[in-house]
Amino acid sequence: FGPAPTWTDNCDTDIFVSLEDVTTPGDCPNEMTLTRFWSAIDDCGNLAVVSQQIMLEDNEAPVFTFVPDGGTVECGNDPNLGMPTAIDNCGTVDISFVDESMNGGMCNSEIIRTWTATDACGNTANESTSI
C-alpha cells in the first residue's frame, strides 16, 4: 500500500505516531474500502492526522484449471466425463452446468457441454467440451 508518512516537528524529536485502519464493505464480499489514519502527536499535545484511502476491487474472472476432455462415447452409455475445476484470485468459485445441446440425429450426434465458473462478485468464465 505504499510507505507510511514521515513526520517532523520544529521543537520535538520524539513524536508519537499511531495507525488505525477502518474497513468499509464494498458491493460484494471480495470488495472493500480500506481507510488508513495516521496520527502524530508531539510532547505539547499538538496533533496532526493524515489519511489514505485504498479501494480493493474484484474485477477478475475465475480461471478454469481443469475441463474434462471430450471424446467419443458409445450410444447408450453415460457421457459423464467428470466436473471441471476453477480457481479465483479473491476466493471461492461456484461451477454450474449451463447447457447441453445435441447436434445431429439419433446416431452420431454431438453433445456440447458448457460450464460457468462464478466468483463471489459475479465475475464469470465459461468453458465447453464436445462429446
Side-chain angles (χ1 to χ4, degrees), residues 79 83-84 95-103 110-117 126-131:
M83 281 295 291
I95 298 176
S96 60
F97 178 74
V98 176
D99 191 19
E100 182 174 316
S101 60
M102 297 182 87
N103 300 322
E110 179 182 29
I111 300 171
I112 300 172
R113 290 200 172 153
T114 304
W115 294 274
T116 297
N126 295 311
E127 285 289 339
S128 298
T129 193
S130 176
I131 305 168

Side-chain angles (χ1 to χ4, degrees), residues 9-66:
D9 188 90
N10 62 343
C11 297
D12 190 355
T13 59
D14 186 27
I15 302 169
F16 176 76
V17 177
S18 64
L19 169 65
E20 180 184 357
D21 288 340
V22 176
T23 58
T24 306
D27 294 334
C28 71
N30 294 336
E31 294 184 344
M32 72 173 171
T33 300
L34 172 65
T35 305
R36 304 189 113 184
F37 295 95
W38 284 275
S39 300
I41 190 165
D42 66 14
D43 288 337
C44 293
N46 298 308
L47 175 68
V49 178
V50 295
S51 66
Q52 174 189 40
Q53 194 171 59
I54 303 163
M55 298 181 74
L56 302 170
E57 297 179 340
D58 182 5
N59 297 316
E60 192 169 318
V63 175
F64 279 91
T65 55
F66 168 75

Side-chain angles (χ1 to χ4, degrees), residues 69-114:
D69 287 334
T72 303
V73 177
E74 187 64 35
C75 189
N77 290 333
D78 181 10
N80 184 0
L81 303 175
M83 281 295 291
T85 57
I87 58 172
D88 187 62
N89 65 327
C90 291
T92 60
V93 178
D94 289 324
I95 298 176
S96 60
F97 178 74
V98 176
D99 191 19
E100 182 174 316
S101 60
M102 297 182 87
N103 300 322
M106 192 68 142
C107 295
N108 297 323
S109 61
E110 179 182 29
I111 300 171
I112 300 172
R113 290 200 172 153
T114 304

